[in-house]
Each structure stands twice: as C-alpha cells, then as structure tokens.
C-alpha cells in the first residue's frame, strides 16, 4: 500500500522528519510518500497560517490521487484543511490531530495535549470538542516553542514538553498527545521517562490509514464530503 503524508507547510527538513517518523511505524510493504506544498507558510502556528496553507495542501492531495496512493495523511495537529481534503479525495484522509485523540483515548481514560504556541491551543480545543473528547481531555498546554525551533539542537524543546507532561499528570492525565508533527521524535523517550502513554499523531495516523486501506474504506460521497460540483472532479486544483 502507498500512503501520502502531506506536510502542509513548506519546510523541507520538517517533511523529512515526518516521513522518518511515519516509516518507523509503517507495516511491511507500506510505502510512505512525503509531500509538501511549493508555496505557503513555513510553519502553521494558528488560524492565519492554516488558511494560507489550504490551497497548497489541496494541490498535494490531487497530486497524490493521481499517483495512485491508497490513503492521505495531513501532518498538522490542527487538522488543517481536513474536511476540504476529504471532499476532493477518493481515498481515506487522516488528520494527525484526530488520529492522535482517538489513539490516546484507547490507552488512557484521561489525557492532556502539549502543543507549540498559545495561539494554536484554541484551535485544538475546538477540535477536541468537535470530535467529542472534551470530557476526557484535562487541558491543552502550550509550550510556547515555535514549530521550527522543535528541530533545533539546544532549543530545550524536549525538556519543556517534559515539564508540561508532569503538570498534566498532576491534573490527572493518564496519557499525553503531542500536539505537533514536529514533536514526533520526542515521543518514545518521553513515554519511557514518564511511564504513561505518549502518542505521536504521525504514528497514530499511519496505523489508522493502514487499517482503513485494509478494510476498503474511503470518504463517503453523500453529504458534507461529497465531491463539490464547482471542483469539476480534480481539475480545479491542478
């Protein structure tokens, strides 16, 4: 099976890290195809960046469909453009935010989310309510570490995230969802350190995508994810 993992921002080093995290958990025979827009924000840190990234993201979904992928993953915890992508895709589309929340809820009765900047937290809180996890989520913490600083040596990102995990545990969290694709590399070490499940959304999304592919499932084309008439198939997004 072939899975396109689309980084909605334009930072190539982040895309490489996301692909590495995806390949680390992909099953035998699963091909991971890393993609990113050619234009748009360098990082998605709130609603403005998210809105700017959607046209480029949709173009990458179209390109992946034409490359005969079996599923798409949107590698932004805000689930940027997720509904729009599902409307134009004929194959499953997984957002790492939604995937992470479902995964952590299967291994922890209560959880916290640790994300990047404070302005991203309200978007994540809105998604948590939309997906029906408000009663399980103790809090969304903002580390106030910019997305692109996560991959910089000496940024102190892992230590800051660890501090917030400790605070989450004090609030009663039994598990943690890491609220940014750029945090994927920290998940295993943080899980060992704190002895609770720490979910990386990239890995969770890969597993869900593989399951949907095996089950032969794709977005329903009745209702909200029906192909838009104005899209004229996929040609509008070429």
């Amino acid at each position: 099976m072939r899975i396109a993992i689309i980084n909605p921002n334009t930072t190539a080093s982040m895309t490489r890290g996301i692909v590495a995290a995806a390949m680390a958990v992909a099953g035998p025979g699963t091909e991971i195809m890393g993609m990113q827009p050619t234009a748009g924000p360098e990082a998605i840190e709130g609603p403005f960046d998210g809105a700017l990234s959607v046209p480029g993201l949709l173009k990458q979904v179209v390109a992946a469909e034409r490359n005969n992928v079996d599923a798409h993953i949107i590698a932004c915890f805000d689930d940027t453009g997720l509904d729009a992508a599902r409307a134009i895709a004929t194959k499953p589309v997984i957002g790492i935010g939604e995937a992470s929340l479902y995964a952590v809820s299967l291994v922890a009765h209560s959880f916290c989310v640790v994300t990047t900047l404070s302005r991203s937290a309200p978007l994540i809180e809105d998604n948590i309510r939309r997906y029906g996890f408000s009663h399980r989520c103790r809090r969304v913490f903002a580390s106030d570490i910019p997305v692109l600083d996560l991959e910089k040596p000496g940024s102190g990102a892992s230590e800051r995230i660890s501090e917030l995990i400790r605070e989450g545990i004090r609030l009663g969290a039994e598990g943690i969802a890491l609220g940014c694709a750029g945090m994927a590399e920290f998940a295993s070490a943080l899980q060992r350190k704190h002895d609770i499940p720490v979910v990386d959304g990239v890995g969770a999304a890969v597993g869900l995508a593989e399951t949907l592919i095996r089950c032969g499932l794709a977005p329903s084309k009745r209702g909200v994810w029906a192909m838009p008439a104005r899209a004229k198939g996929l040609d509008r997004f070429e």
Side-chain angles (χ1 to χ4, degrees):
M1 59 183 71
R2 302 181 75 202
I3 298 175
I5 186 157
I6 304 169
N7 172 17
N9 73 44
T10 59
T11 299
S13 59
M14 189 170 179
T15 302
R16 289 192 293 270
I18 290 167
V19 169
M23 292 177 63
V25 299
T30 296
E31 178 186 351
I32 300 295
M33 186 169 69
M35 305 178 71
Q36 67 184 60
T38 56
E42 294 181 346
I44 298 176
E45 297 176 328
F48 181 75
D49 294 330
L52 287 180
S53 73
V54 171
L57 164 67
L58 295 180
K59 289 180 180 180
Q60 295 305 304
V61 171
V62 171
E65 292 262 316
R66 297 207 183 282
N67 264 317
N68 299 313
V69 300
D70 299 298
H72 312 265
I73 292 171
I74 298 176
C76 176
F77 200 88
D78 296 351
D79 289 342
T80 302
L82 181 57
D83 284 318
R86 285 173 173 164
I88 66 167
T90 63
K91 301 297 173 63
V93 184
I94 309 293
I96 67 166
E98 188 173 19
S100 183
L101 296 174
Y102 276 103
V104 74
S105 72
L106 293 174
V107 294
H109 186 266
S110 61
F111 61 88
C112 286
V113 176
V114 180
T115 190
T116 51
L117 300 187
S118 297
R119 64 175 172 265
S120 296
L123 294 176
I124 294 170
E125 290 166 350
D126 286 346
N127 284 343
I128 289 169
R129 284 189 288 271
R130 175 187 173 188
Y131 300 147
F133 290 108
S134 293
H135 63 299
R136 306 280 291 276
C137 183
R138 293 289 183 263
R139 185 170 170 183
V140 177
F141 290 103
S143 64
D144 288 319
I145 300 169
V147 169
L148 298 184
D149 283 358
L150 291 169
E151 60 186 22
K152 292 181 180 178
S155 68
S158 180
E159 292 79 6
R160 176 59 178 153
I161 295 166
S162 189
E163 290 174 6
L164 294 174
I165 290 175
R166 281 192 289 270
E167 179 62 22
I169 292 171
R170 283 194 288 272
L171 293 176
E174 300 166 5
I176 298 294
L178 296 179
C180 178
M183 295 178 177
E185 64 177 298
F186 305 132
S188 295
L190 290 169
Q191 180 165 284
R192 290 192 300 271
K193 182 174 183 176
H194 295 284
D195 196 29
I196 61 171
V198 176
V199 175
D200 152 45
V202 173
V206 169
L208 281 173
E210 289 176 328
T211 298
L212 291 176
I213 294 166
R214 291 191 188 97
C215 292
L217 297 172
S220 172
K221 293 306 171 184
R222 292 182 180 270
V224 69
W225 295 329
M227 182 69 73
R230 289 190 298 275
K232 297 180 181 179
L234 300 178
D235 296 340
R236 182 181 176 88
F237 301 96
E238 290 182 326

